[in-house]
Amino acid sequence: MKYNLHMLVPTARAEAEIEVKKSRFIAIAIPTDTMEAVKDAVASVRSEHHTANHVVHAAVIGKAGTMYSSSDDREPKNTAGRPALEVVKGSGITNITVAIVRYFGGTLLGTGGLVKAYGDSAKEVLRIVPTEPLIEKTDFSMILPYSSYTLIKRLFETLSVTVMKEDFDISINIEGQLPSENLAKLEEGSADIGQGRILLKVLNT
C-alpha cells in the first residue's frame, strides 16, 4: 500500500480540557497504529479516570487513514463518538486515538449540546497534538567500534536517524530508526566509515 503523503501522524500524547455547563470534557490524543493499540489506549484512559461518567473515543488508523473506531460510551447514540470521529477524520491525522473523558456537571446538554461539546473537545486536542508527516520508516541495529562512533553519529544527523538505544561494551551497539528512503545511504555511509568493521542489520520496515 502506498503512503498518503498528505497524512500526518502524532508524535506524542497531548491533552486538552474544556468545560460546558459545569461538565468537564478532557480530550486525550494518543498515538496508536493498530486497532489493538486503540483498545489498550482507551482502557488506559479508563483506568486513569475511573470515576468519570463517560470515556468516549474516536480513532483513525492506517497508512491511508481508512480504518475507524468510535464509541459513545453510554451517551445518546451518535452524540459523542461520531462527532469526534468526524473531526479526527477531517484533520488529516492518522494512527491516532482521541479519548474524551466526561465528568458530568449536573446539567443535561441535550443532543445538540453533546454533539458540539464532543466535537469541540476533539478539535481542541488536535490543535495542540504534535505531528509529523506519515512516511515509511525502517528499524535497524548496528555494531561498531569506538573509533567509528563520531563519524557514524554525524552520518545519522544527515539521514534523520532516531536512536532508540545505545549500549557501550567492547563494541557499541545501537538500535535506531530512519526514513526508509535513506536506508541505502546508511548502508553506503556505514560501509565507507567502518571499512568492514561495522555490522548493520535491518530489523523491519
Side-chain angles (χ1 to χ4, degrees):
M1 182 186 292
K2 288 187 176 180
Y3 283 71
N4 185 335
L5 297 179
H6 301 292
M7 296 295 284
L8 299 170
V9 289
T11 58
R13 174 175 165 142
E15 187 171 319
E17 180 176 338
I18 65 171
E19 185 175 308
V20 182
K21 295 183 178 179
K22 296 186 178 179
S23 276
R24 292 173 62 206
F25 292 85
I26 304 167
I28 304 165
I30 304 167
T32 45
D33 56 7
T34 65
M35 286 298 177
E36 195 62 37
V38 172
K39 292 179 185 177
D40 291 344
V42 174
S44 174
V45 172
R46 284 189 193 283
S47 177
E48 290 173 40
H49 295 274
H50 59 276
T51 62
N53 299 90
H54 307 277
V55 179
V56 168
H57 85 272
V60 175
I61 302 296
K63 297 170 186 174
T66 53
M67 293 187 288
Y68 311 122
S69 174
S70 67
S71 167
D72 293 314
D73 192 37
R74 296 173 290 109
E75 292 281 31
K77 187 176 180 182
N78 294 333
T79 63
R82 186 168 181 176
L85 180 60
E86 291 305 314
V87 170
V88 180
K89 284 164 64 176
S91 71
I93 303 173
T94 188
N95 290 348
I96 186 171
T97 296
V98 174
I100 303 173
V101 179
R102 183 188 183 190
Y103 288 94
F104 183 55
T107 302
L108 296 173
L109 302 183
T111 300
L114 286 172
V115 169
K116 186 175 189 307
Y118 280 104
D120 287 350
S121 295
K123 288 176 187 174
E124 194 67 20
V125 75
L126 292 178
R127 189 173 60 80
I128 63 170
V129 66
T131 60
E132 66 181 12
L134 173 64
I135 57 173
E136 183 178 335
K137 294 188 176 182
T138 296
D139 295 333
F140 68 90
S141 65
M142 179 181 285
I143 300 173
L144 63 149
Y146 281 78
S147 58
S148 300
Y149 183 69
T150 300
L151 290 176
I152 281 292
K153 293 293 278 193
R154 287 180 192 164
L155 178 65
F156 284 178
E157 289 177 10
T158 67
L159 300 180
S160 302
V161 170
T162 300
V163 175
M164 308 292 192
K165 184 179 178 182
E166 286 184 334
D167 287 327
F168 297 88
D169 203 337
I170 297 172
S171 298
I172 300 172
N173 293 270
I174 296 175
E175 292 181 10
Q177 185 183 74
L178 82 167
S180 296
E181 63 184 13
N182 292 342
L183 178 60
K185 291 180 180 177
L186 178 64
E187 291 171 335
E188 293 168 9
S190 59
D192 288 343
I193 293 168
Q195 297 294 308
R197 292 176 297 161
I198 293 178
L199 177 61
L200 173 65
K201 183 179 180 182
V202 175
L203 300 178
N204 68 280
T205 298

